Amino acid sequence: MTAAARPKIPLLLLVTIAAGLGALVLVALGHSAAERNLILLCLLLPVAARAGLRLGGSGTGLVVLGAASVAALGWLVWTMPAARAGFTPAFWLLVLGAWTLGWQTCAALSAARPRGLALQRLVGVAVPLLFGAWLLLFWELACRGFAIPQVLLPAPSQVWARILSDWPTLLADFRQTFLQSVLIGYAIGCGSGFLAALAIDRVPFLKRGLLPVGNLVSALPIVGVAPIMVMWFGFDWPSKAAVVVIMTFFPMLVNTIAGLDAAGRMERDLMRTYAASHGQALTKLRLPAAMPFVFNALKINSTLALIGAIVAEFFGTPTVGMGFRISTEVGRMAIDMVWAEIAVAALAGSLFYGFVSLVERLVTFWHPSFRAR
Amino acid sequence: MTAAAVNPVRAPRGTGWIMGHAVPVLAVLAAIVVVWYAGAIFLNTPVQRDMFARAGVTDYGFADLAAATLSQERPVLPAPHQVAADFWKWTFATAPTSKRSLVYHGWITLSSTLAGFIAGTLLGILIAVAVVHSRTLDKSLMPWVVASQTIPILALAPMIIVVLNAVGITGLMPKAAISTYLSFFPVAVGMVKGLRSPDVINLDLMRTYSATPAEVLWKLRLPSSVPFLFTSMKVAIAASLVGAIVGELPTGAVAGLGARLLAGSYYGQTVQIWSALVAASLLAAMLIAIVSLAEKLVLARMGVRP
């Protein structure tokens, strides 16, 4: 890495010292001793941890730093004032100190080179998790501290409360949109795209003609066919599945055609010397070689499918479905319900994508991008 | 994300550009038109039979039926020539300032697309530069940027529009915000790859020159990231257009191609929906062509030989 990649310690120290001085001023102005001690602890911890790390105790130092960081985070969540009045300058200083500690932890963890694959994975998950927790906390703090009206931006805690209280509705929407429109449309769209590519692959003339057209169509705003599909297939899930089919078909077609050409000339010549038939060459060489491309399309489509189904619901639905709920709850200004729906959609989308990636790992384990570093 | 970035299949040796690319593409397009006509006749037949029955016409042959299905007022599937005629009428035969002109609606969509695209590209480049220079950001922020690509961001569109409207921000800005949101991910991911694309040997050379990080960025990393930038910009501008169109849906069909789609679906004007779709597709193709042209010019200027 370049010199710029090193964490800038002097700047952090300056921030910490400035914050410490601020705390002292606050104490002089008459804040309670307990508050002062906690603030100082929070401000001094990063410095102490940093010093400890530099002295050499890397493994233990990291664990201590991580534990301190999580403890500070938890303590902040625990003591967070409910109303704007509770957000004194001392509290913001506390937040600043804890954030400095959190950032130091992230920096130390990313710079660490733990031995062993399991430890590396653990660190690889811990850093974004800590960062994400801080983002959520900042969101919550901003909503409470600046008294942002719920109509504009609900706090994560309000969204969570809404998820807990309205989960039957969310579940029904999830079933309608994800389990019916998305999954069925995704399966039909990807399957027919794949089969069409296999058929087209036999005709080079068609292949040369279809690839530019397919590439163009993949870039077009296909969601626009949603109103037409709603007219053709009615309000219920088949129209949404139809939109998903059209959206997922072309990426699959284009990627599979490109993937079928991915096998090397040498390997193909080898198949010829074996006098392999078209089918044998396809199943033993070209399809396995095409798998990275096919999975690329499957991953692109997993996102597209959810988008297509939700947007199609803006054009007319029965009174259930994620897109329907989002558009009606926006109209009623129940923004926390909208965020709850988005949280469910995000979770479903990520899990779907993660599942496809997992299958990809199992199928294309030989690909360079999955080899252990 | 890389849907639009698949390399074209090479034509066999000995065939020129015309036989290798133009003829096959034209053949495929002609086949699509033929299938479209067949579909229009097939899908419009039931309605047309009803119409004939109601009008008392009984002795009609296939030719009459086919001709009638291709000239309905509100067909289930309009024929290509109907769409073309409608598109022509509202694009070229109408004053661009008229509220019914497709040029007017297209311009509104285009302006928010471009505003969002430019903001999104800049934001993406900024994030990529920060991520490349800070190991901590790379480890903590980048996973979230990647994960956020897997969530249906477009679902946020109506909320962003309505909420920004509630604060008093209307018009171009909310739609551009959605376009920005959609277009900065591809640019950020592509640029992180691009800024990391210089070889170690080149980076080492910069070290021997004792170049500062800023100098390495300007003289080595940015120039070598340009091909990646253009590839991701092509994806970003397509996403940006989709964002602008979807952003126009919840505003109650005021203006823009998305509003045309919504109005068409409210009033059952299928021909209008299709011509708005054609306009949106032409806009997308044009935008991508412009980015590709800029890519060719810039890369040629930078000395890249094809």
Side-chain angles (χ1 to χ4, degrees), chain A residues 161-172:
Chain A
R162 197 63 192 237
I163 290 178
L164 287 184
S165 68
D166 279 15
W167 67 267
T169 318
L170 291 169
L171 195 67

Side-chain angles (χ1 to χ4, degrees), chain A residues 4 107 110 113 128 131 152 205 208-209 211 215 219 227-228 231-232 258 261 296 300 303 307 330 338 342 346 350 353, chain B residues 1-2 6 9 12 20 24 76 133 135-136 139-140 144 149-151 154 156 159 162 167 238 262 265 270 274 281 288:
Chain A
S110 352
R113 299 229 162 278
F131 190 78
L152 286 188
F205 179 80
R208 287 202 305 271
L211 205 55
N215 263 331
I228 299 163
M231 272 179 199
W232 286 7
D261 277 351
N296 184 28
I300 295 168
T303 318
I307 288 179
V330 159
V338 177
I342 286 168
S350 312
Y353 190 92
Chain B
M1 211 211 95
T2 43
V6 176
V9 173
V76 177
H133 284 94
R135 218 186 139 68
T136 314
K139 293 270 179 174
S140 50
W144 291 107
Q149 281 196 306
T150 68
I151 67 173
L154 225 51
L156 286 170
M159 193 185 56
V162 170
V167 197
L262 197 65
S265 94
T270 37
W274 280 94
S281 306
I288 294 170

Side-chain angles (χ1 to χ4, degrees), chain B residues 126-172:
Chain B
L126 219 69
I127 288 182
V129 169
V131 160
V132 167
H133 284 94
S134 158
R135 218 186 139 68
T136 314
L137 271 185
D138 177 31
K139 293 270 179 174
S140 50
L141 182 64
M142 217 38 205
W144 291 107
V145 171
V146 173
S148 62
Q149 281 196 306
T150 68
I151 67 173
I153 297 153
L154 225 51
L156 286 170
M159 193 185 56
I160 293 176
I161 298 279
V162 170
V163 164
L164 287 185
N165 273 343
V167 197
I169 305 172
T170 50
L172 189 74

Side-chain angles (χ1 to χ4, degrees), chain B residues 8 39 72 77 97 110 113 155 161 169 172 205 220 234 236 244 257 300:
Chain B
Q72 286 177 356
L77 174 61
T97 47
L110 180 66
T113 303
I161 298 279
I169 305 172
L172 189 74
L205 181 67
L220 177 61
K234 276 187 240 171
L257 292 175

